[in-house]
Amino acid sequence: MPLPRAPRRALLVCAVAAALAGCSVTGSGSGSAKKSPGTPGSVRSGTAPASVAADAGRSVVDFAGTAPLGADALRRTVDRMRARAGALGLTDVSVEARDGGITVTGRTEDEKRLTELGSSGRLGFRPVLAEEAVGATPTSTPTPSASSAPTRGRAVTDGLRPRTAGSASASAVPAPAEGSAPDAALQARFAALDCTAREQPAAEREAPAEDSVVACGSDGGGSGSRARFILGPTAVDGAHVSSAKAVNDRQTGRWVVQLDFDSVGARQFSELTGSLSTRMAPQNQMAIVLDGAVISAPSVNQRLDGGTTEISGSFTRESAEQLAATLGSGALPAPVTVSGVTRLPHG
């Protein structure tokens, strides 16, 4: 199958509500759902557990592990979710282990953020091998040659910008060879990927970092259209992000998320961007992948040193803060899903 040609512009962050849930839309429980109690993801009214005092305007969000949670994994996941709540400035929030799961109690007005405390937060930076707008007819991608001049625009696109200059020595990263083509099995997965689905296949979301994957994201054109990608192995793992914070860019008035890498991440990031900057589109793009979904895929036209960068896109203050809290705390030790939301009666 010939590979599709990518547009030259950067892909901006996908719709905020989708981006923070892995580019799938999950209900926050703001409607009047009539699912029976205990149905995963349902919203119901009820009485507070014995350990939770009934209060006006409060919600109880129950999380269950995607696999049985051991005592250590449960404890560490609770600690990580508490750290996220603190980073978000959520007040009067309780995060407790209960009956092999996790229960979060807080104000109903914060219900959406309470559910997002359970986002896996698995971040990775992967090279883009191919990109195609959903519904587009595939076209062949040119194979770069030694005499080919790389496609260049701005030094770095809006999706990714350096914050400081510095010197970071390069180290090898698992990026594909120039002009390499995905194998037949990977192309078949790409052709079959349904980016209109609510969730992406678990096999892709949970693929090992050393594997190539297919993924969905926004086309970044402002129309809300979707795109699908073939991505190479993870070149920089989110575990090497030492800090993340939401900042309002005074020059543009937009909210961005600033990232700082540790020494290992800084070396890998420098090498990845240096390698991508010499390639033709779409292989000069770097996918920022959160929980299996591409939240941004900027073109890179220069090496980015110094161990710091920022992600920009269509962020609101709330969504930027949510992403920063998720990335800054690190991925959850064990993946969890919302098993139910209970809105307590007014006291």
Side-chain angles (χ1 to χ4, degrees), residues 25-31 41 43 108 111-113 115 198 341 343:
V25 180
T26 57
S28 63
S30 58
V43 179
T108 296
E111 188 176 287
K112 182 175 182 293
R113 287 190 164 193
T115 63
R198 187 167 182 170
V341 179
R343 291 180 181 164

Side-chain angles (χ1 to χ4, degrees), residues 17 20 63 84 111-119 322 326:
L20 298 179
F63 295 90
R84 290 181 180 180
E111 188 176 287
K112 182 175 182 293
R113 287 190 164 193
L114 298 180
T115 63
E116 289 169 346
L117 294 178
S119 298
Q322 182 70 51
T326 299

Side-chain angles (χ1 to χ4, degrees), residues 152-173:
R152 295 187 179 274
R154 295 181 53 190
V156 186
T157 58
D158 281 345
L160 187 75
R161 293 184 294 170
R163 284 203 290 123
T164 60
S167 59
S169 59
S171 64
V173 295

Side-chain angles (χ1 to χ4, degrees), residues 58-157:
R58 294 185 68 77
S59 293
V60 179
V61 182
D62 295 312
F63 295 90
T66 57
L69 299 176
D72 182 63
L74 187 62
R75 175 187 58 78
R76 290 187 295 117
T77 302
V78 166
D79 289 344
R80 193 67 51 85
M81 292 172 71
R82 286 174 177 165
R84 290 181 180 180
L88 287 169
L90 295 175
T91 59
D92 196 18
V93 171
S94 170
V95 182
E96 304 293 341
R98 182 176 291 123
D99 299 327
I102 299 172
T103 297
V104 178
T105 306
R107 299 179 302 180
T108 296
E109 65 186 73
D110 294 326
E111 188 176 287
K112 182 175 182 293
R113 287 190 164 193
L114 298 180
T115 63
E116 289 169 346
L117 294 178
S119 298
S120 293
R122 185 182 180 190
L123 177 72
F125 297 79
R126 292 175 177 262
V128 173
L129 302 184
E131 183 227 335
E132 176 182 286
V134 172
T137 301
T139 56
S140 61
T141 298
T143 301
S145 63
S147 60
S148 298
T151 300
R152 295 187 179 274
R154 295 181 53 190
V156 186
T157 58

Side-chain angles (χ1 to χ4, degrees), residues 228-290:
R228 55 185 175 181
F229 301 85
I230 300 178
L231 307 175
T234 298
V236 188
D237 190 274
H240 296 301
V241 173
S242 59
S243 67
K245 61 182 178 180
V247 177
N248 186 260
D249 188 321
R250 294 183 179 180
Q251 291 184 336
T252 65
R254 297 186 302 175
W255 283 92
V256 299
V257 177
Q258 294 181 347
L259 302 180
D260 291 286
F261 295 101
D262 63 18
S263 59
V264 173
R267 290 193 300 270
Q268 293 177 342
F269 192 73
S270 172
E271 176 63 16
L272 173 63
T273 54
S275 174
L276 295 180
S277 68
T278 66
R279 301 182 184 181
M280 295 179 66
Q283 293 185 0
N284 67 339
Q285 292 176 224
M286 174 175 58
I288 303 170
V289 186
L290 178 64

